[in-house]
Amino acid sequence: MEITNVSEYETIAKEKLPKMVYDYYASGAEDQWTLKENRNAFSRILFRPRILIDVSKIDMTTTVLGFKISMPIMIAPTAMQKMAHPDGEYATARAASAAGTIMTLSSWATSSVEEVASTGPGIRFFQLYVYKDRNVVAQLVRRAERAGFKAIALTVDTPRLGRREADIKNRFTLPPFLTLKNFEGLNLGKMDKTDDSGLASYVAGQIDRTLSWKDVKWLQTITSLPILVKGVLTAEDARLAIESGAAGIIVSNHGARQLDYVPATIMALEEVVKAAQGRVPVFLDGGVRRGTDVFKALALGASGIFIGRPVVFSLAAEGEAGVRKVLQMLQDEFELTMALSGCRTLKEITRNHIVADWDQPRVVPRL
């Protein structure tokens, strides 16, 4: 079957992967309302395309924290990618580099920061979970820095793991032939089999529930890398993130895997963008499956978007070639959306190019 869009990879991944692995990647928290909403909310935003504009040349390039990338589409951190494909994070890193975009490596990767760096050149960020043992955190951050990673994406929505019922039913654990490579030498790389989700037990034992805004400041004392705060959904927290020295904000609900019944990230985006007042870039993570989704996020003020599940599903289906194809399809669709909306550069994408169902009835400006 010829694959013509990103979502088709999920069907293939479901057929190919063991149930425990597919469920781990695919599921959300509790009723999975937010999981569905992350996608559905995009359909409540419609386009107001402008016509008769010369769109023979479209420029999708942008800069993120000073790094030039080919498009505002980046790779979010997703854990344990070798469960999807033997090449795991290596394949993802190579695909991102080939596409000229940024990959974010998960703390819970099945390949280490050094191994991912060894795949060759590329702009890479490192996603950080803060462990109870701060020496582990400091060591990990230093290793990422040494390996040439360019920023830290600090996940702030996981003092405890969300209730993912598929993982409980499946007694989810990391397959025995894999380890959380970044923690291998620290005896934190294995996950015990439990009568619950093995990951939930691991988080309960290792991740620091006392994490607070002062720790965002502490992180800046141990690294010179810019810190992106990942997991912001409100204006209040956007302001606090900026006050705490964040270099950027990622609007994320953790792929709807933490607290169910939080809004879709595309619904929370505008509130966060308004609170940030242009002081730091704001990015969107969650629910993006089409180039049209990318355009909508940028029209609402995002500086770029991150994709998660499409990466692991395409990785499961076709390895590195699958991830490359996902990035290419999203880029092609986004370029087409720009052209058909009358936008030649990212700067030309404005709030006037969309209408959202929460907007007040619009007074059409008279020419």
Side-chain angles (χ1 to χ4, degrees):
M1 180 188 83
E2 188 190 353
I3 290 173
T4 54
N5 67 64
V6 167
S7 297
E8 285 172 347
Y9 275 119
E10 180 165 0
T11 313
I12 298 170
K14 189 172 186 178
E15 288 165 7
K16 282 186 90 158
L17 291 170
K19 182 177 172 12
M20 179 189 81
V21 172
Y22 172 78
D23 286 353
Y24 170 72
Y25 290 145
S27 63
E30 296 185 354
D31 298 331
Q32 304 193 113
W33 182 85
T34 299
L35 183 69
K36 296 187 264 293
E37 182 67 4
N38 265 356
R39 281 295 309 124
N40 294 342
F42 279 103
S43 66
R44 299 199 291 273
I45 302 166
L46 302 179
F47 292 121
R48 299 183 70 248
R50 301 301 308 275
I51 52 169
L52 293 176
I53 291 167
D54 175 354
V55 289
S56 56
K57 289 189 181 69
I58 303 274
D59 178 12
M60 289 176 284
T61 61
T62 189
T63 56
V64 170
L65 301 180
F67 298 99
K68 191 162 190 192
I69 54 175
S70 64
M71 56 182 170
I73 301 163
M74 298 165 283
I75 292 183
T78 49
M80 309 177 221
Q81 292 180 12
K82 283 188 180 176
M83 294 195 307
H85 188 277
D87 295 342
E89 294 84 2
Y90 288 76
T92 303
R94 287 192 291 258
S97 182
T101 194
I102 292 164
M103 173 201 183
T104 315
L105 181 70
S106 169
S107 273
W108 296 336
T110 38
S111 314
S112 68
V113 288
E114 293 84 5
E115 288 172 331
V116 169
S118 78
T119 62
I123 305 155
R124 301 185 185 103
F125 295 171
F126 180 69
Q127 176 272 332
L128 182 68
Y129 283 117
V130 176
Y131 279 58
K132 289 174 182 173
D133 182 344
R134 293 306 168 88
N135 292 327
V136 167
V137 179
Q139 207 177 318
L140 199 51
V141 168
R142 273 197 296 275
R143 281 172 57 198
E145 227 169 334
R146 271 203 305 272
F149 284 69
K150 301 300 185 204
I152 301 291
L154 176 68
T155 296
V156 293
D157 57 12
T158 313
R160 299 173 56 171
L161 202 71
R163 183 175 174 83
R164 307 167 190 176
E165 292 176 7
D167 291 349
I168 298 168
K169 284 189 171 72
N170 294 332
R171 304 282 187 262
F172 173 80
T173 190
L174 189 59
F177 56 90
L178 296 174
T179 60
L180 302 179
K181 259 297 200 299
N182 287 315
F183 300 98
E184 209 174 31
L186 303 159
N187 294 328
L188 295 170
K190 279 289 180 198
M191 215 173 281
D192 300 323
K193 196 101 170 109
T194 62
D195 49 10
D196 185 14
S197 153
L199 186 62
S201 304
Y202 181 85
V203 168
Q206 301 300 340
I207 302 303
D208 192 346
R209 294 184 187 183
T210 73
L211 192 68
S212 69
W213 290 109
K214 69 177 184 339
D215 298 298
V216 180
K217 291 192 165 141
W218 167 75
L219 206 50
Q220 291 161 71
T221 68
I222 66 163
T223 181
S224 57
L225 294 178
I227 294 158
L228 298 170
V229 175
K230 178 176 183 280
V232 173
L233 292 170
T234 64
E236 296 90 324
D237 283 337
R239 286 190 280 268
L240 288 169
I242 294 166
E243 283 164 27
S244 301
I249 290 168
I250 303 175
V251 175
S252 172
N253 53 32
H254 209 119
R257 294 157 75 79
Q258 283 299 100
L259 180 62
D260 200 14
Y261 298 98
V262 294
T265 48
I266 194 71
M267 298 289 285
L269 176 62
E270 199 164 26
E271 173 182 328
V272 173
V273 165
K274 283 177 175 162
Q277 296 180 315
R279 291 173 289 177
V280 299
V282 175
F283 304 95
L284 175 110
D285 165 66
V288 173
R289 300 292 179 273
R290 284 279 188 190
T292 49
D293 301 334
V294 180
F295 186 101
K296 289 170 185 180
L298 267 64
L300 287 167
S303 292
I305 66 92
F306 288 88
I307 50 166
R309 285 187 184 87
V311 171
V312 287
F313 292 146
S314 59
L315 189 60
E318 292 175 355
E320 182 186 334
V323 183
R324 281 183 184 231
K325 184 150 187 201
V326 155
L327 291 167
Q328 189 63 56
M329 284 191 292
L330 285 173
Q331 183 168 26
D332 291 346
E333 288 179 13
F334 177 54
E335 183 178 31
L336 182 59
T337 307
M338 284 179 69
L340 296 179
S341 297
C343 299
R344 295 160 293 197
T345 63
L346 303 191
K347 277 193 178 62
E348 290 186 354
I349 301 172
T350 69
R351 187 62 171 79
N352 287 331
H353 285 96
I354 57 165
V355 57
D357 73 351
W358 59 87
D359 287 341
Q360 300 306 309
R362 158 183 297 281
V363 178
V364 179
R366 295 297 295 260
L367 287 176

